[in-house]
Amino acid sequence: MKYFTSKKLNEHLTLITTITAENLFLVEGSNKAILIDTSEGAGDLKGFVEKLTSKPIEVILTHGHIDHAMGAVAFEKVYMNPADKAVYEAMSDIPQRQEYIEMSVPKEKQAAVKQLALLDANGGAEKFLPLKDGQRFDLGGTTLEMYSLAGHTPGMMVVLLVEDRILIAGDAANTATFLFDDYCASVSDYQNNLQKLAKRLAGRYDKVYLSHHELEAPKDLLQRVSSVCKDVLDGKADNQRFDFMGKTAWIAKEVGPGFIRKDGGFGNIIYNKDNI
């Protein structure tokens, strides 16, 4: 069973897709490579990446959730925003991660997935290096800049590939931005953060890549998701019920399969009515 597959997006950017459908990104410069996110810790991600590049590999975690951070302990040099330390620790236990994996793969592959051993992620956050807003990584001809977009988690980060004019928004803003667990920002605070970041990055990117569902989003994604937040704040949301891992939340704009909006729009939030 293949847990990972890869596809070149350009000469130094590779998309890595997991069996649970997360998008990870390997960025290579002339001197080193950076892997953006590490999935749940199942399968030999380190071995897979080492077959894609011979350069030294560092890891950037966009945030501390199960499906993005738990494979990081396999790597020597890992960066994560310290604001997500509690998020990471709350999600590092193996039963919770196994539950997520089993619910995220097609039924015909679940038996095989149950046989996968998960990395022990406990204590991983203690070894991670701090990731900060405005931090730059020079890979040799390829530059990454980090920007905070708190909302989905307190330490949520997005990555700007400067020369390629690509924004990796990940889970920070997407077709179903989760804003309903105990660590999420309020809808109003999240909207404010979206607007601030859109101004900071205006004119600096032409493509936006996501971590789930669609790979590519419209260039004005931040503005679109901000507009959805405004509809929630104005009492104009559709409020479609959403149940996920024991929690009930509300999808702002009604969706069909794959979180495709029924009104034809792009970008959405799933939020807690008690945290507006």
Side-chain angles (χ1 to χ4, degrees), residues 12 26-35 55-56 58 60 137-144:
H12 54 260
L26 178 66
V27 189
E28 295 181 79
S30 60
N31 299 326
K32 64 181 179 179
I34 281 185
L35 175 65
K55 299 179 180 70
E58 298 178 6
I60 285 172
F137 294 85
D138 182 357
L139 310 187
T142 300
T143 310
L144 277 59

Side-chain angles (χ1 to χ4, degrees), residues 21-23 25 37 62 68 168-171 209-214:
E22 292 90 23
N23 296 328
F25 299 91
D37 288 339
T62 59
H68 294 263
I168 297 179
D171 282 6
Y209 288 151
L210 307 178
S211 294
H212 299 278
H213 309 299
E214 305 283 343

Side-chain angles (χ1 to χ4, degrees), residues 139-175:
L139 310 187
T142 300
T143 310
L144 277 59
E145 291 182 354
M146 305 303 305
Y147 293 92
S148 174
L149 181 48
H152 181 57
T153 68
M156 183 78 226
M157 306 291 281
V158 301
V159 187
L160 180 68
L161 278 60
V162 177
E163 292 84 3
D164 286 334
R165 295 179 59 83
I166 293 172
L167 181 69
I168 297 179
D171 282 6
N174 58 26
T175 59

Side-chain angles (χ1 to χ4, degrees), residues 2-137:
K2 283 188 175 182
Y3 196 89
F4 308 103
T5 59
S6 66
K7 176 184 178 181
K8 276 280 192 181
L9 299 178
N10 64 36
E11 63 178 334
H12 54 260
L13 178 61
T14 301
L15 169 68
I16 299 172
T17 305
T18 74
I19 198 171
T20 43
E22 292 90 23
N23 296 328
L24 318 179
F25 299 91
L26 178 66
V27 189
E28 295 181 79
S30 60
N31 299 326
K32 64 181 179 179
I34 281 185
L35 175 65
I36 300 172
D37 288 339
T38 60
S39 195
E40 306 92 349
D44 184 11
L45 177 60
K46 186 172 185 285
F48 184 85
V49 174
E50 286 175 341
K51 291 178 181 178
L52 298 177
T53 181
S54 60
K55 299 179 180 70
I57 302 164
E58 298 178 6
V59 170
I60 285 172
L61 299 178
T62 59
H63 61 299
H65 277 166
I66 287 173
D67 49 334
H68 294 263
M70 299 304 147
V73 291
F75 297 85
E76 293 182 5
K77 197 168 186 179
V78 180
Y79 295 84
M80 184 180 77
N81 188 331
D84 263 19
K85 184 174 183 289
V87 175
Y88 177 96
E89 291 174 345
M91 297 193 170
S92 62
D93 65 283
I94 286 178
Q96 184 179 194
R97 291 157 59 198
Q98 188 69 51
E99 178 188 359
Y100 175 84
I101 293 170
E102 291 176 12
M103 66 176 258
S104 301
V105 300
K107 289 183 179 180
E108 65 271 16
K109 296 181 179 179
Q110 286 184 4
V113 168
K114 288 180 181 179
Q115 305 305 313
L116 287 169
L118 295 176
L119 291 171
D120 182 359
N122 286 317
E126 300 296 334
K127 305 172 186 177
F128 298 161
L129 298 169
L131 190 62
K132 303 175 183 178
D133 182 80
Q135 192 166 350
R136 290 170 60 92
F137 294 85

